[in-house]
Amino acid sequence: MRFMKLSLVAGAVGVTLLSAAALLIDRTPAVAQAACDGPTTPFCNSTVPLPAGWKGPVFQLRQDYPAVAPSDQQPWLAFDPRTQPDAYIKSVLAYFYEGNLRPDVETSFDPKLNTVRNWYNAPWQDQGTNGREPVHGLTRERTSRANELAAGQSQQWNNYAVGFYNAPGAVVIGQMWKDHGHPNPAAAGSLPEGTVAAKLLFTTATVQQVPYLAGAPTWKVYVYANPNDPSPKPTSPRAVLEVRLLQIDIAVKDSRVASTTGWVFGTFVYGGGPGGPSGSGWTNVAPVGVMWGNDPGSLAGGPLKETWLNPAVHMPHVGFQGRLNGPVDNPSSSCLSCHATAESPAGQMIGADPKRWFQNVPSGTPFDPGRQSMDYSLQLAVGLADFQQAQKIKSAPTPTLRAKFLQERIMQDSRPPRDGGPLH
Ligand code: HEC
């Protein structure tokens, strides 16, 4: 109780100063003791205070990472991702849905309510302007520009997302973050076979602007009040907004595609995208496509052999030269071109030279020679980079330098990582 009161007081201060970066500024010693993201504390759920009088769900970062993954079914092994991509990715989605769907939309995907299997969240996604909001733990993602989601979409809209790892992936998160004050990047060099990461992406776009969102599950979340502002500042006001399910991303570590990348990435769009069938609820989604390589051999043109696009879905854009990307994503990249850059120190996710970004980087190999691979996991890379930057700010030798580092951080935040912005 005492802690709650104190954190609300700290929250009020945080809102006026730097809501999302509240942990980076000084607090009273009593609050600091009860804080999170410290060397001996739990990881933060969110550093954004809840709205006054909030009675709805509160995000709790699932962080009891297991030492060993229990044996589990892997239903996607019944399908070859290269020849049966549709059945493959749908079976992974069904695995992700199992135990996570409930009649109450707001309590769906709460890991502590899932009695079938455990899902976990990656730590240190809570920093800065784009960090987790407090109700569902959503981070701010790339803004959708006009006409990217649907023809006739005249405004740009903010997007928000939350990701989950299954137990095999969570074992690695636990190994990397065993010592909360000294993470070990090398532990994330290779995620185990059967790792699944899945991410729910929600949009502030209205049904009027994007008609296929009709019937989409909605969550109320505490995000930037202006849904059309592409670069909110830490001081921008927040409000409880309704966001709609737009996209579901999936990544699977599968050795059957080891000769390309070792990873299968797939994405779903709510309502089947423009012109899709009407319906409602979590299951009313259709695969946009699946990819297991960047097709480096087709950069001069020619058919893609490592991306499958669902012929029944017609998005305004996918990725580079028709490689897979989701509705929210940057059309000049692909799922795997971005994720291949997961490394420490952080790599550059999007660049001008297609030969470099659309090569097939084998799982466990760093994008830039000499760095530590983080095996296609960008949440682990973002978390580590944010941890390191927070330490740099905290240990700045003078107040002037400290203010300078903080300002640098805020400037970098104007473009979220999912837009190809720096990972700090
Ligand atoms: C512009 C680069 C970029 C593109 C393109 C991209 N992602 Fe990501 N993705 C990120 C970043 C950065 C994160 C970590 C931060 C976050 O969650 O937003 C991430 C996180 C994820 C996660 C959570 C687990 C993890 O690996 O960190 C999944 C799953 C995922 N993306 C799948 C996809 C899929 C599927 C596609 C293509 C449809 C895709 N991504 C396209 C940058 C990208």
Side-chain angles (χ1 to χ4, degrees), residues 141 165 199 249 266 325-326 333-335 338-339 378-379 417-418:
E141 304 282 312
Y165 280 87
K199 195 162 144 179
D249 280 350
N325 234 351
S333 60
S334 79
C335 310
C338 265
H339 279 261
L378 280 167
Q379 285 195 343
R418 182 65 185 250

Side-chain angles (χ1 to χ4, degrees), residues 246-301:
L246 166 64
Q247 175 176 339
I248 301 176
D249 280 350
I250 284 177
V252 187
K253 178 82 179 268
D254 189 327
S255 62
R256 291 175 295 175
V257 296
S259 64
T260 52
T261 61
W263 284 89
V264 180
F265 274 58
T267 192
F268 292 80
V269 60
Y270 179 78
S278 60
S280 64
W282 294 105
T283 55
N284 186 31
V285 297
V288 176
V290 175
M291 77 187 299
W292 52 95
N294 271 313
D295 271 298
S298 305
L299 285 169

Side-chain angles (χ1 to χ4, degrees), residues 338-372:
C338 265
H339 279 261
T341 68
E343 61 185 3
S344 178
Q348 187 186 329
M349 281 185 290
I350 300 181
D353 176 12
K355 275 203 214 59
R356 191 158 144 60
W357 271 270
F358 298 94
Q359 57 182 309
N360 281 337
V361 178
S363 160
T365 305
F367 185 71
D368 294 288
R371 300 194 190 182
Q372 172 61 54

Side-chain angles (χ1 to χ4, degrees), residues 74 76-77 81 88-89 92 95 165-166 168-169 172 187-198 250-266 291-292 336 361-365 373-377:
Q74 299 183 336
W76 57 91
L77 291 179
Y88 181 94
I89 207 68
V92 188
Y95 167 93
Y165 280 87
N166 69 352
V172 166
S190 175
L191 283 124
E193 182 77 0
T195 295
V196 174
I250 284 177
V252 187
K253 178 82 179 268
D254 189 327
S255 62
R256 291 175 295 175
V257 296
S259 64
T260 52
T261 61
W263 284 89
V264 180
F265 274 58
M291 77 187 299
W292 52 95
L336 288 171
V361 178
S363 160
T365 305
S373 166
M374 312 215 73
D375 200 6
Y376 284 80
S377 174

